[in-house]
């Protein structure tokens, strides 16, 4: 493979140089951006360094096996390597397509749109936002300042997210049910919400856990409950769940910590349906980790489509600098956001969601609201 390094003020210019040398079959091996300090990481001077390559395929294979020769079976390692190479090719193709999408916009808009790219916002939304800003620039026949660009982008996002709701628990329903796969931090999140209900709203709280598959999960909830001086009931089946509801009738709010399972498996979703009584006066939230792949979160959401999901709760925003998937999923499923979390401290590291905080989080990356 022939390789060459390119440096240019913008990614668009760098890609033009790559295509001049290698054409559309070029492969982007790596790219990096060096930026000076600026507001929220935007609109600063920057240079782009790209390493591109071109695979000069031989006209004939180096070795042709005899017609009757039996080739050795491919090893698992070889198959794994092949799969990784295919995945990399898809990723590179997506990067190249994205760069071409940005070519139609003036240089003044590129840093902002690149920022949205790095945040993982879907290409279709980046294109819509870019078109809206560019059309306004042409309409007013001028270049926008940094502040004007941000304000226009904010207006576009506000209109786009108008149909989804924001905000935490309503305090109008007795039962707070929290669903989600293993490893997303459900129990800690429940403890944060419950602690605020107790400390700020002076509510009498109680807990039910159906996560009987992991002793550690039960003990973790008991630890939080002891600190909050709140009762905990354990439900192994639907009968236990009904009994727990009866025992906690004197509570203002009852928080239900469901089992963290691999809900890509339909069986576990059906088990949950049989165990929890969803006909109760209940608010149900789905917890997802921002460190998960968006396609995996898609599968989880689709598995829970029969459940009355009020809003999403997104966790671990402090462990990623790419939070665009939150907006992608909210728009795709028309489901709002209740909270996002950014650490393990209870009850501090949780933020009740609103549009302003989400927009700031999107632009700031790893600088949190």
């Amino acid at each position: 493979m022939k390789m060459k390094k390119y440096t240019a003020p913008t990614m668009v210019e760098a890609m033009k140089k790559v295509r001049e040398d290698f054409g559309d079959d070029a492969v982007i091996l790596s790219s990096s951006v060096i930026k000076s300090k600026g507001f929220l990481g935007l609109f600063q001077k920057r240079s782009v360094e790209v390493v591109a390559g071109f695979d000069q395929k031989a006209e004939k294979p180096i070795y042709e096996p005899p017609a009757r020769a039996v080739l050795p079976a491919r090893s698992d390692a070889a198959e794994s390597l092949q799969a990784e190479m295919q995945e990399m090719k898809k990723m590179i193709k997506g990067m190249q397509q994205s760069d071409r999408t940005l070519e139609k916009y003036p240089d003044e808009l590129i840093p902002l749109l690149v920022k949205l790219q790095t945040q993982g916002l879907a290409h279709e939304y980046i294109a819509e936002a870019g078109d809206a800003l560019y059309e306004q620039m042409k309409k007013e026949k001028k270049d926008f300042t940094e502040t004007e660009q941000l304000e226009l982008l904010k207006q576009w996002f506000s209109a786009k997210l108008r149909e989804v709701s924001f905000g935490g628990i309503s305090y109008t329903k007795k039962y707070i049910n929290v669903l989600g796969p293993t490893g997303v931090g459900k129990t800690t999140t429940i403890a944060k919400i419950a602690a605020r209900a107790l400390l700020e709203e002076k509510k009498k709280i109680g807990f039910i856990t159906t996560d009987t598959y992991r002793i550690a999960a039960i003990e973790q909830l008991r630890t939080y409950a002891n600190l909050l001086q709140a009762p905990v009931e354990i439900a192994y089946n639907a009968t236990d769940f009904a009994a727990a509801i009866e025992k906690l009738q004197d509570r203002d709010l009852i928080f239900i910590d469901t089992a963290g399972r691999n809900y890509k498996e339909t069986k576990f979703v059906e088990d949950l349906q049989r165990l929890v009584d969803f006909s109760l006066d209940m608010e149900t939230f789905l917890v997802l980790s921002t460190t998960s792949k968006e396609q995996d979160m898609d599968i989880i959401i689709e598995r829970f489509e029969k459940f009355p999901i009020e809003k999403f709760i997104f966790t671990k925003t402090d462990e990623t600098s790419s939070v665009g998937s939150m907006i992608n999923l909210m728009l795709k499923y028309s489901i709002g956001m209740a909270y996002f979390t950014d650490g393990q401290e209870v009850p501090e590291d949780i933020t009740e969601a609103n549009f302003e905080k989400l927009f700031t989080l999107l632009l700031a990356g790893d600088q949190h609201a």
Side-chain angles (χ1 to χ4, degrees):
M1 175 178 282
K2 184 179 179 181
M3 294 185 293
K4 187 175 179 180
K5 182 186 293 185
Y6 299 84
T7 303
T10 68
M11 179 63 78
V12 172
E13 293 179 45
M15 292 302 297
K16 287 180 180 177
K17 292 182 179 180
V18 171
R19 292 193 189 95
E20 287 175 2
D21 288 349
F22 295 134
D24 289 337
D25 291 328
V27 175
I28 305 302
L29 301 176
S30 67
S31 64
S32 59
V33 179
I34 302 174
K35 301 178 181 179
S36 60
K37 293 182 178 179
F39 179 66
L40 292 178
L42 300 174
F43 311 109
Q44 61 279 72
K45 293 181 180 179
R46 70 192 187 106
S47 61
V48 179
E49 184 178 274
V50 173
V51 177
F54 179 73
D55 190 8
Q56 297 174 308
K57 297 180 180 179
E59 294 183 0
K60 294 182 179 181
I62 297 175
Y63 168 71
E64 294 183 0
R68 294 185 180 182
V70 178
L71 296 176
R74 293 172 63 185
S75 66
D76 291 341
E79 291 181 353
S80 176
L81 179 60
Q82 181 67 21
E84 289 181 9
M85 290 177 66
Q86 292 296 330
E87 186 66 26
M88 184 176 294
K89 286 180 179 179
K90 290 180 183 179
M91 181 180 69
I92 292 171
K93 184 177 180 181
M95 290 171 58
Q96 291 173 328
Q97 181 62 44
S98 177
D99 289 329
R100 292 168 186 160
T101 300
L102 298 184
E103 285 183 348
K104 65 180 179 180
Y105 302 114
D107 286 346
E108 291 82 2
L109 289 180
I110 298 300
L112 181 58
L113 300 180
V114 167
K115 182 68 174 181
L116 298 180
Q117 279 186 348
T118 61
Q119 285 285 44
L121 191 71
H123 294 317
E124 62 183 287
Y125 302 137
I126 295 174
E128 286 181 26
D131 289 346
L133 268 65
Y134 192 22
E135 286 301 316
Q136 193 65 26
M137 288 177 66
K138 290 188 290 186
K139 181 179 179 181
E140 299 189 21
K141 298 180 180 179
K142 70 168 189 174
D143 295 335
F144 292 125
T145 65
E146 303 170 10
T147 302
E148 288 172 329
Q149 286 190 39
L150 287 171
E151 183 57 34
L152 284 172
L153 183 68
K154 186 175 182 180
Q155 291 174 11
W156 182 85
F157 268 113
S158 178
K160 193 74 177 175
L161 291 165
R162 186 178 294 122
E163 300 302 318
V164 299
S165 58
F166 291 91
I169 61 175
S170 65
Y171 292 101
T172 62
K173 296 185 178 181
K174 188 180 185 72
Y175 303 97
I176 311 299
N177 189 28
V178 181
L179 311 177
T182 185
V184 297
K186 286 196 313 303
T187 303
T188 303
T189 299
I190 286 175
K192 292 173 183 178
I193 301 171
R196 291 196 171 186
L198 173 68
L199 300 173
E200 297 174 6
E201 302 295 330
K202 311 302 180 186
K203 300 294 185 180
K204 292 173 61 179
I205 62 172
F207 298 95
I208 297 174
T209 179
T210 69
D211 193 353
T212 57
Y213 303 95
R214 299 178 301 137
I215 295 176
I218 296 175
E219 292 307 313
Q220 182 185 23
L221 185 60
R222 276 181 172 156
T223 298
Y224 288 133
N226 288 337
L227 291 172
L228 298 173
Q229 298 183 336
V232 179
E233 296 295 329
I234 302 172
Y236 292 90
N237 51 48
T239 301
D240 291 340
F241 185 84
I245 291 295
E246 185 64 29
K247 289 180 181 178
L248 297 175
Q249 276 303 305
D250 67 323
R251 304 283 104 180
D252 298 319
L253 295 172
I254 299 174
F255 292 86
I256 303 167
D257 187 10
T258 57
R261 306 299 298 271
N262 178 11
Y263 287 111
K264 292 179 184 178
E265 299 290 336
T266 305
K267 172 185 180 300
F268 297 133
V269 178
E270 293 172 348
D271 289 344
L272 184 60
Q273 284 179 305
R274 287 191 291 267
L275 198 156
V276 176
D277 183 0
F278 286 91
S279 68
L280 295 169
D281 185 30
M282 179 182 293
E283 287 183 291
T284 299
F285 301 91
L286 179 60
V287 182
L288 299 169
S289 169
T290 54
T291 61
S292 301
K293 293 180 180 178
E294 188 172 329
Q295 63 188 27
D296 291 336
M297 290 191 278
D298 262 322
I299 295 172
I300 297 301
I301 295 169
E302 289 168 3
R303 289 289 186 271
F304 282 104
E305 64 181 355
K306 295 181 180 179
F307 293 85
I309 304 299
E310 298 277 343
K311 297 185 184 86
F312 293 128
I313 298 174
F314 291 101
T315 60
K316 305 185 182 183
T317 61
D318 58 316
E319 297 181 24
T320 180
S321 59
S322 177
V323 297
S325 58
M326 298 193 303
I327 294 177
N328 297 340
L329 296 172
M330 291 168 67
L331 291 173
K332 181 175 181 178
Y333 295 98
S334 299
I335 296 176
M337 188 195 308
Y339 305 93
F340 61 86
T341 73
D342 58 357
Q344 296 296 312
E345 294 298 320
V346 177
E348 291 87 352
D349 295 336
I350 188 169
T351 300
E352 185 170 348
N354 61 37
F355 171 74
E356 294 282 345
K357 292 172 183 176
L358 175 61
F359 186 72
T360 300
L361 186 64
L362 177 69
L363 292 183
D366 55 357
Q367 305 170 37
H368 297 288

